[in-house]
Amino acid sequence: MSTEVKLTASNFDAEVMQSSLPVLIDFWAEWCMPCKMIAPLVDQIATQYAGKLKVGKVNVDEESELANRFGIVSIPTLLVIKNGSVVRQRVGALPKHELENLFKDLI
């Protein structure tokens, strides 16, 4: 069972901005091949770091307001938000160890 949270405009502030845990956010789309490549890795991270890191996914086609809010122009884009602020951002398909490097020092 996935521990990823589907993020929407209506739950974003409660799930992300007010989270006591750092949050890794994957901005993705159904048609995006690199997004599909990293999806299993993001899911593994959500399970492996449950309780230490929150992992959320934003479908940019369904949540264009959130994509615009963070200036997302290419996907996949991964953000790490801690204490309500973006602390890291990377674009593109990354291997698992590079995904982990985005947040490991924050948990």
Side-chain angles (χ1 to χ4, degrees):
M1 182 182 114
S2 176
T3 54
E4 299 166 332
V5 177
K6 181 179 179 181
L7 297 172
T8 64
S10 60
N11 73 356
F12 191 85
D13 284 342
E15 290 286 351
V16 177
M17 303 310 268
Q18 298 168 15
S19 176
S20 59
L21 298 173
V23 184
L24 174 67
I25 305 172
D26 177 14
F27 286 85
W28 70 285
E30 201 59 55
W31 47 264
C32 167
M33 277 309 184
C35 299
K36 289 182 181 203
M37 288 170 45
I38 67 165
L41 302 177
V42 173
D43 187 50
Q44 287 173 21
I45 286 169
T47 302
Q48 184 177 345
Y49 293 95
K52 298 178 192 168
L53 175 78
K54 186 180 282 192
V55 176
K57 294 183 73 82
V58 175
N59 182 323
V60 296
D61 291 332
E62 296 173 359
E63 297 295 332
S64 59
E65 178 184 324
L66 285 175
N68 290 337
R69 178 174 168 183
F70 290 97
I72 306 303
V73 292
S74 295
I75 54 173
T77 293
L78 296 139
L79 298 183
V80 178
I81 295 181
K82 184 171 183 179
N83 299 324
S85 298
V86 176
V87 293
R88 306 258 164 70
Q89 180 169 340
R90 289 287 303 269
V91 176
L94 304 170
K96 186 175 179 188
H97 73 275
E98 286 191 40
L99 292 172
E100 290 173 324
N101 286 342
L102 289 173
F103 61 83
K104 265 199 166 171
D105 63 331
L106 302 172
I107 58 174

